Amino acid sequence: MQDVTVVVPAHNEAGRIGAVVDELVGDHEVLVVDDGSTDGTASEARNAGATVVEQPTNRGYIAALKRGFREAETGVVVTYDADGEHRPEDVRRVAEPIETHDLDLVLGARSHIPRPSERLLNRLTRLKVPVSDSGTGLRALRRELAVDLELDTVCTCGTLVLEATANGARIGEVPIETREIDKPRSIAWGHARQLLYVLRYLRRV
């Protein structure tokens, strides 16, 4: 699907990003947003075949995501985590319903949401939007929707779906399975702040 750009925000993912890109190139445009990495992330991604845009300093996941949305030139963008937990075959699965079912946002719904804080944010989001995984890292968006999102939040958990709904987006989901990766999961302290954003966004829908 060359009409799809896979946007991969990455910060210090050398040793992982090359394999992630290698699985994606050939079937899709791959755009890696190097978010101020201090290792070889950018060169490794470029050598594997990705287009790389570099942010001079580490501005965070949201800023990298928005940069990727602006730089993409295709009608559909798919967000994809740089750590290798997603499966490349699921890119097509989340992107296709945008064309075949006239949707604007398709979530790759995981069978298990690992962090309790993320599950709480998801339950709050479901008060207004009936989706099972509002914090997934694998999602497809119509580009017109993607570039209009403000995303003035800590992360995308809950708020991306709520803002898209407020903007009139038609939303669907497809089930996905993630892969086990050798990477420690730290406590997501940012979810405490994100809770306030989710509560604010709930009032907009």
Side-chain angles (χ1 to χ4, degrees):
M1 298 180 70
Q2 293 291 351
D3 55 342
V4 170
T5 298
V6 182
V7 174
V8 187
H11 175 67
N12 289 345
E13 292 288 355
R16 299 177 186 271
I17 192 66
V20 170
V21 172
D22 188 61
E23 289 186 322
L24 294 167
V25 293
D27 295 324
H28 317 285
E29 298 290 336
V30 181
L31 176 63
V32 172
V33 182
D34 178 39
D35 187 33
S37 295
T38 57
D39 60 7
T41 294
S43 59
E44 186 176 320
R46 195 174 284 116
N47 290 339
T51 299
V52 178
V53 294
E54 298 184 54
Q55 311 242 79
T57 58
N58 179 213
R59 298 177 57 200
Y61 177 78
I62 292 287
L65 205 61
K66 292 171 72 171
R67 176 77 183 276
F69 291 161
R70 293 195 302 270
E71 297 282 347
E73 298 181 352
T74 56
V76 178
V77 292
V78 173
T79 67
Y80 199 92
D81 289 346
D83 56 15
E85 75 169 3
H86 297 312
R87 303 183 306 172
E89 59 266 30
D90 286 332
V91 170
R92 179 179 297 273
R93 297 184 63 239
V94 296
E96 280 185 338
I98 292 184
E99 297 299 328
T100 58
H101 299 299
D102 294 324
L103 298 177
D104 303 300
L105 169 62
V106 179
L107 307 171
R110 297 164 292 178
S111 59
H112 173 65
I113 299 173
R115 292 188 174 98
S117 57
E118 193 175 344
R119 293 197 292 272
L120 171 61
L121 296 173
N122 193 59
R123 285 196 294 272
L124 289 171
T125 303
R126 284 172 56 85
L127 295 174
K128 292 292 184 74
V129 187
V131 295
S132 61
D133 186 1
S134 62
T136 178
L138 179 63
R139 59 181 85 81
L141 305 90
R142 200 175 296 278
R143 184 177 180 274
E144 292 90 337
L145 169 67
V147 297
D148 282 344
L149 294 174
E150 295 178 5
L151 296 177
D152 54 342
T153 61
V154 176
C155 66
T156 57
C157 293
T159 50
L160 187 147
V161 170
L162 289 168
E163 184 178 353
T165 300
N167 289 357
R170 299 157 297 179
I171 301 175
E173 288 184 300
V174 296
I176 63 167
E177 293 295 334
T178 55
R179 301 184 287 199
E180 291 292 330
I181 55 172
D182 183 20
K183 182 178 181 180
R185 292 188 182 274
S186 58
I187 297 173
W189 296 110
H191 282 165
R193 289 177 57 204
Q194 183 70 0
L195 174 61
L196 300 177
Y197 286 107
V198 168
L199 293 174
R200 188 186 73 187
Y201 271 72
L202 283 169
R203 294 195 294 269
R204 296 175 54 178
V205 178

